[in-house]
Amino acid sequence: MQVNHHDSRIADLFGSRSGTLLVACTMAGDPDFVTSIRIIQEMIDAGGDMIELVMPHSDPVADGPVMQEAVSRALDAGMNTDRFFSLISEIRKGYGTPLVVLTYANIVIQRGIEQFYRDAANAGADGVAVADVPLEESGLFIAAARNAGIEPILFVSRTTSKDRLEKILSAAGGFIYLVAAMGVTGIRGGVPEETLVCLREVKGRTGLPVVPGFGISGPEQIRTYAASGADGVIVGSALVKEIAQQVKLGCDPVLKVGELIRRLKSGCIVDSQC
Amino acid sequence: MNEPTRFGAYGGQYVPETLICALEELEQAYRTIVPSRAFQTEMEYYLKEYAGRETPLTFCRNMSRDCGCRIYLKREDLLHSGAHKLNNALGQALLTKAMGKKRIIAETGAGQHGVATAIAGAALGLPVEVYMGVEDMGRQSLNVARMEMLGARVIPVRSGSRTLKDAINEALREWVANVGDTHYLIGSVVGPHPFPALVRDFQTVIGRETRDQILEKEERLPDVLVACVGGGSNAIGMFHAFLKDDVALFGAEAGGEGIKGRHGATLCRGRPGVLHGTYTYLIQDAFGQILESHSISAGLDYPGVGPEHSFLKDEGRVTYQPVTDEEALDSFFYLSRTEGILPALESAHAVALARTIADDLDDDGILVINLSGRGDKDVAQVAALMGGCR
């Protein structure tokens, strides 16, 4: 039913934005299926503008320790690709918030590339990003995404050559995922100057929204990206670390996730854009 | 598919965007620097004067009599460092210098590639950091000590299954973070393009020498070649010079505990998928999660395999067969006592498979085993398994 609304959900959100959008990222099924659904609902209720939901893979080469541990918790609790799509369907029963999937190539390939994107669309996802599929390997993935009405989210980084950048910008859909830090996902302080240069450069070359992710964990960093023209920011490890800490303490992580979302959201409002 | 980054359908570059620039740079170096006369001259110098090439092709009198055919060993165990890994480590370390990079990182399973990289780094004045799963550090403590004595830093990997697979993950992550000044010196014909081709090219010296040596000794090519396959670098190195010839090629995979148990027989029992940047056969579940492999030998304990082997399997050019832990252990003792040569447990898998293939050969049939490494590193482990000796 939701399939028909897809193409526009991400574009509508960015088109109607007042301020930089917060993309809240979490690991599907961490710490378990039911809690994971409540966490995602809280992320939206507390002000998250878009959800990036990670389908865990056993060997996440683009991820740091926080996400790696979340992969273990989710897989140990029984997350798999079937349940992943069920989880998205559950969210969709109550929310029309844009939702993008992040995963790794082998998860998509083992389901069948076309099948994965069709299942994602049927469950109600709006976009899919595959962390280890660069432009060079993206042909079948982008074609399957287009066939299913899913936005193919592609990555750029400050090491992306001009030549490749043009090709990526013309092949991508939804938004451009700007890899903000060299290295893996994780919590870092500050904002690298080179990333801001790259952000402005990419903004100048595309009409698609540009959204930095990797190493963004606090409102100060978000303000800096917002001031440089970021259309949104992706926060993952900081949220997942909060979940891990609460789980370790034996507490319900939902409350703290909501608090953190509100704190992050305070960095998203920039006067010049209001 | 016939793309330059692939072997048939296998291979490719499944890496995060941030690594593409490093792979492009490496590809450029592979195409321009490696074939250059200056590079080849320096490479030959190090292989001959430093590493001790060429390695002998030893005729095994006792084993030949016992097995009923003519059996030779290609003695990579006699290469400096005790295994074939040094061919590649020296090649890539020289390339690191030629590319102007300042630092080398590597992964290791059994520790042989870590030792080879530590040696190459020391010889060429490059700092080396080696990622190693804590599980493997326990099994191969002698090699950990060797790496440290050679001046390398060994970084324990505690994520995932804490073995070779996870050491490669960590090395890739470290490379992503420091692509500017760091070369990732991968130890086998695995990983994203151009690594499988680059590492192969540095190992094909094994097969080229073998070809010359057997022609000199027997005045004809062998009937059968046998090598063990983990990632598959020694096997590709041996097979490559014979791919177009009428020579039967056999790869021995880690059969581990046997038919029902845990194993490392990726080609025999896996299915294609993506791991560590390449599309190849993998040990995985129905959803694409990578499963833990198992082998008595740390060097074969890997749930993936080089993409060129996947291609050669599908083409039917190479026959891959599993050899169990028990069979490998038996052949470890067999070769030690029959020929006075302690094989690495990895190479013992090839010896075991060769013994079964020998049954089908006539008295004048010629079989060459690639003895990829020496067994000194495995002495403590084997002694512990046997409760001393047997």
Side-chain angles (χ1 to χ4, degrees):
Chain A
M1 285 297 118
Q2 297 94 341
V3 177
N4 298 329
H5 305 291
H6 275 190
D7 334 274
S8 54
R9 242 190 237 133
I10 293 174
D12 286 354
L13 176 68
F14 282 104
S16 63
R17 77 182 179 91
S18 62
T20 297
L21 300 180
L22 178 63
V23 182
C25 170
T26 191
M27 185 72 61
D30 172 30
D32 59 68
F33 189 89
V34 173
T35 312
S36 187
I37 289 175
R38 291 177 51 241
I39 287 170
I40 295 160
Q41 290 168 339
E42 176 68 13
M43 284 174 160
I44 299 169
D45 292 343
D49 299 293
M50 192 191 302
I51 296 297
E52 180 186 279
L53 192 58
V54 184
M55 169 55 216
H57 180 240
S58 55
D59 292 79
V61 290
D63 285 300
V66 171
M67 289 305 229
Q68 289 173 41
E69 283 162 25
V71 167
S72 301
R73 285 194 300 275
L75 292 179
D76 288 349
M79 183 43 63
N80 62 36
T81 318
D82 289 341
R83 289 182 191 136
F84 178 73
F85 290 125
S86 305
L87 196 153
I88 295 176
S89 300
E90 284 298 314
I91 299 294
R92 273 289 169 257
K93 284 178 184 168
Y95 295 87
T97 310
L99 185 151
V100 298
V101 171
L102 178 81
T103 192
Y104 284 84
N106 202 40
I107 298 293
V108 181
I109 289 171
Q110 294 311 316
R111 197 167 190 85
I113 297 177
E114 291 282 340
Q115 187 69 46
F116 185 94
Y117 283 88
R118 268 200 305 275
D119 289 346
N122 289 331
D126 301 288
V128 171
V130 191
D132 56 348
V133 174
L135 182 71
E136 285 69 8
E137 305 295 347
S138 66
L140 295 173
F141 294 78
I142 291 175
R146 299 283 185 208
N147 287 341
I150 288 277
E151 300 283 12
I153 314 289
L154 300 185
F155 298 82
V156 303
S157 83
R158 62 181 196 243
T159 60
T160 303
S161 66
K162 294 251 186 324
D163 209 35
R164 294 183 68 257
L165 180 62
E166 291 303 328
K167 291 180 188 152
I168 293 169
L169 295 179
S170 63
F175 62 85
I176 298 297
Y177 193 132
L178 177 76
V179 180
M182 293 306 288
V184 294
T185 59
I187 297 162
R188 296 175 180 81
V191 175
E193 183 54 37
E194 302 95 312
T195 303
L196 295 178
V197 172
C198 180
L199 170 61
R200 286 187 285 262
E201 160 104 29
V202 177
K203 281 289 291 177
R205 287 168 182 267
T206 180
L208 285 172
V210 182
V211 183
F214 280 47
I216 304 173
S217 53
E220 276 307 315
Q221 286 167 301
I222 296 176
R223 251 173 237 123
T224 309
Y225 282 114
S228 289
D231 296 283
V233 290
I234 302 168
V235 178
S237 294
L239 287 159
V240 170
K241 191 180 175 188
E242 193 67 58
I243 294 166
Q245 279 172 348
Q246 295 305 309
V247 168
K248 237 169 247 167
L249 292 169
C251 301
D252 182 0
V254 170
L255 197 68
K256 289 283 184 186
V257 166
E259 282 175 22
L260 181 52
I261 291 284
R262 279 184 285 272
R263 201 154 67 239
L264 294 166
K265 197 64 186 161
S266 73
C268 291
I269 311 301
V270 169
D271 292 341
S272 63
Q273 294 187 335
C274 287
Chain B
M1 268 180 279
N2 236 334
E3 300 162 42
T5 62
R6 290 181 186 256
F7 307 94
Y10 300 100
Q13 295 184 313
Y14 296 89
V15 295
E17 174 61 28
T18 32
L19 267 188
I20 288 291
C21 65
L23 294 179
E24 282 178 343
E25 186 184 4
L26 186 61
E27 161 110 45
Q28 179 73 13
Y30 171 56
R31 302 246 174 257
T32 59
I33 298 174
V34 175
S36 74
R37 199 188 166 95
F39 184 89
Q40 288 297 327
T41 305
E42 198 174 14
M43 185 72 198
E44 276 163 31
Y45 170 84
Y46 273 96
L47 287 180
K48 177 165 183 277
E49 303 293 334
Y50 182 76
R53 300 213 74 94
E54 64 182 26
T55 59
L57 184 69
T58 304
F59 178 65
C60 298
R61 284 172 199 282
N62 304 329
M63 193 176 165
S64 294
R65 198 180 307 122
D66 186 46
C67 295
C69 63
R70 300 182 64 74
I71 295 179
Y72 288 86
L73 299 178
K74 178 59 173 168
R75 301 294 303 279
E76 293 301 294
D77 62 316
L78 293 180
L79 192 68
H80 176 43
S81 83
H84 75 289
K85 294 289 186 187
L86 189 63
N87 299 322
N88 168 53
L90 280 172
Q92 285 198 58
L94 285 168
L95 193 57
T96 303
K97 291 201 89 158
M99 288 193 299
K101 303 233 172 186
K102 304 288 179 232
R103 166 178 176 258
I104 288 172
I105 56 170
E107 84 297 337
T108 198
Q112 288 305 110
H113 174 58
V115 167
T117 307
I119 287 171
L124 295 169
L126 291 161
V128 171
E129 287 175 29
V130 181
Y131 290 82
M132 188 171 190
V134 290
E135 191 75 21
D136 293 335
M137 288 177 75
R139 286 193 279 195
Q140 304 286 343
S141 55
L142 182 68
N143 272 343
V144 175
R146 287 170 82 197
M147 285 184 270
E148 286 173 345
M149 286 170 190
L150 288 159
R153 210 173 121 221
V154 180
I155 300 169
V157 175
R158 295 192 169 80
S159 57
S161 60
R162 305 162 168 217
T163 59
L164 178 58
K165 162 178 92 79
D166 310 283
I168 296 176
N169 286 340
E170 278 310 306
L172 281 169
R173 289 174 184 129
E174 172 65 20
W175 198 28
V176 172
N178 294 290
V179 286
D181 69 343
T182 301
H183 176 63
Y184 175 22
L185 204 162
I186 206 162
S188 192
V189 287
V190 300
H193 175 79
F195 281 117
L198 176 73
V199 176
R200 175 200 65 205
D201 287 0
F202 287 136
Q203 292 293 1
T204 50
V205 65
I206 300 172
R208 287 198 309 273
E209 284 180 6
T210 301
R211 197 185 169 90
D212 292 346
Q213 289 166 318
I214 201 74
L215 286 174
E216 193 186 314
K217 289 175 200 288
E218 295 278 354
E219 295 179 332
R220 72 175 182 92
L221 293 177
D223 299 294
V224 178
L225 295 176
V226 187
C228 64
V229 179
S233 69
N234 89 80
I236 282 285
M238 174 56 102
F239 295 162
H240 214 260
F242 298 91
L243 283 177
K244 293 191 172 72
D245 299 308
D246 185 21
V247 176
L249 308 175
F250 286 87
E253 287 201 300
E257 293 164 346
I259 298 295
K260 292 261 162 77
R262 300 173 301 153
H263 64 94
T266 311
L267 290 161
C268 297
R269 294 165 66 182
R271 309 194 298 287
V274 169
L275 176 67
H276 297 146
T278 194
Y279 183 69
T280 190
Y281 278 79
L282 302 176
I283 302 171
Q284 57 181 326
D285 74 7
F287 295 105
Q289 308 294 350
I290 308 304
L291 299 174
E292 284 182 30
S293 53
H294 164 81
S295 173
I296 190 173
S297 73
L300 303 185
D301 197 348
Y302 180 58
V305 66
E308 194 166 7
H309 284 292
S310 295
F311 172 70
L312 292 170
K313 173 196 158 76
D314 284 8
E315 290 281 293
R317 180 61 190 97
V318 181
T319 306
Y320 298 90
Q321 290 185 10
V323 169
T324 65
D325 289 349
E326 205 178 320
E327 290 164 338
L329 198 56
D330 180 65
S331 282
F332 174 89
F333 282 102
Y334 175 83
L335 193 70
S336 301
R337 295 183 180 184
T338 311
E339 294 292 343
I341 295 170
L342 275 169
L345 280 173
E346 290 79 9
S347 318
H349 285 70
V351 175
L353 182 57
R355 288 167 71 193
T356 65
I357 294 166
D359 290 345
D360 299 331
L361 292 180
D362 298 332
D363 288 356
D364 55 358
I366 303 170
L367 185 155
V368 178
I369 302 167
N370 193 18
L371 199 71
S372 55
R374 69 178 186 223
D376 305 54
K377 70 183 176 62
D378 299 316
V379 165
Q381 186 195 352
V382 172
L385 279 170
M386 307 314 297
C389 208
R390 69 171 182 186

